[in-house]
Amino acid sequence: MPEYIIVYFNVRGRCEAMRMPLSDQGVDWKEEVVTIDTWMKGDLKKEAVFGQIPAFKDGDFTLYQSNAILRHLARKHGLYGKTPVEAAQIDMVNDGVEDFRLKYIRLIYQNYENGKEDYIKALCNELGHFERILSKNNEGKGFLVGDQCAIRSYC
Ligand SMILES: CCCCC[C@H](O)/C=C/[C@H]1[C@@H](SC[C@H](NC(=O)CC[C@H](N)C(=O)O)C(=O)NCC(=O)O)CC(=O)[C@@H]1C/C=C\CCCC(=O)O
């Protein structure tokens, strides 16, 4: 029985960034897929610390906030760099991805028809930030930071 359970809607959304490292590291997990109807009943929302999912169950421990879940997995599975500086660099990239994700979510949920053209135009610049970070590590031949995979190397 896997010790990890991801509780989330039936979308990639905020959980694909967990699924890829777990899969690549050969770590098993179970999915508890939440339907909209179940969510609208309100029990799960009431139970959620901030009224939202994903939730991540690690044995008897349940964690909310997707970025906290990623950092938890990074610490547990050696994906958080070798030094405090490398961990801080990984946090910086994770926060950069969060900024990028929020722009995507605003586009999807608030401004799709009027915003999609500008969003696509800005994509090269947005992704360029991450390319420049990669290029600075071992002339782009390395990982995000240091000389090993990190939790944010996957997306
Ligand atoms: C009744 C509303 C159902 C919404 C389901 C829908 O699939 C939404 C998904 C998008 C949300 S995640 C769901 C949201 N949780 C959070 O925003 C958590 C934020 C927290 N800071 C964290 O964990 O980091 C939530 O619980 N909504 C319900 C509520 O009552 O508030 C944000 C996304 O990224 C999800 C997907 C967006 C687009 C889907 C595109 C296709 C894909 O990625 O597969």
Side-chain angles (χ1 to χ4, degrees):
M1 171 76 171
E3 70 176 299
Y4 292 154
I5 302 174
I6 293 175
V7 181
Y8 193 49
F9 299 110
N10 186 22
V11 290
R12 294 176 300 252
R14 287 187 170 278
C15 289
E16 211 62 10
M18 305 165 200
R19 296 180 179 117
M20 287 191 278
L22 287 174
S23 174
D24 190 49
Q25 297 294 316
V27 177
D28 199 10
W29 76 93
K30 191 169 159 286
E31 300 271 357
E32 265 178 33
V33 179
V34 177
T35 65
I36 304 293
D37 289 348
T38 303
W39 184 254
M40 296 310 281
K41 287 184 182 136
D43 297 344
L44 272 179
K45 186 169 181 73
K46 252 193 229 110
E47 187 184 317
V49 172
F50 298 94
Q52 291 188 302
I53 50 176
F56 188 84
K57 295 180 181 175
D58 177 355
D60 297 333
F61 171 54
T62 299
L63 185 60
Y64 293 85
Q65 290 294 349
S66 58
N67 291 306
I69 297 166
L70 286 176
R71 284 191 290 271
H72 177 60
L73 291 174
R75 283 186 286 266
K76 280 194 77 173
H77 296 282
L79 297 169
Y80 215 3
K82 289 179 183 161
T83 66
V85 166
E86 287 188 358
Q89 288 172 311
I90 292 163
D91 282 339
M92 177 187 74
V93 174
N94 193 63
D95 292 353
V97 172
E98 177 65 18
D99 287 346
F100 186 32
R101 166 168 286 283
L102 290 174
K103 290 172 184 167
Y104 167 75
I105 293 167
R106 272 196 291 278
L107 170 74
I108 296 278
Y109 288 99
Q110 293 169 6
N111 189 29
Y112 187 69
E113 285 313 320
N114 299 327
K116 60 186 172 185
E117 200 177 320
D118 287 345
Y119 179 86
I120 290 167
K121 272 188 204 151
L123 263 185
C124 282
N125 183 52
E126 293 288 347
L127 295 173
H129 300 316
F130 301 100
E131 283 171 344
R132 278 186 291 280
I133 292 165
L134 281 165
S135 67
K136 285 182 183 154
N137 185 26
N138 191 10
E139 295 168 355
K141 301 187 198 83
F143 294 90
L144 207 53
V145 291
D147 59 2
Q148 62 180 31
C149 220
I151 193 73
R152 265 300 179 195
S153 300
Y154 297 87
C155 63

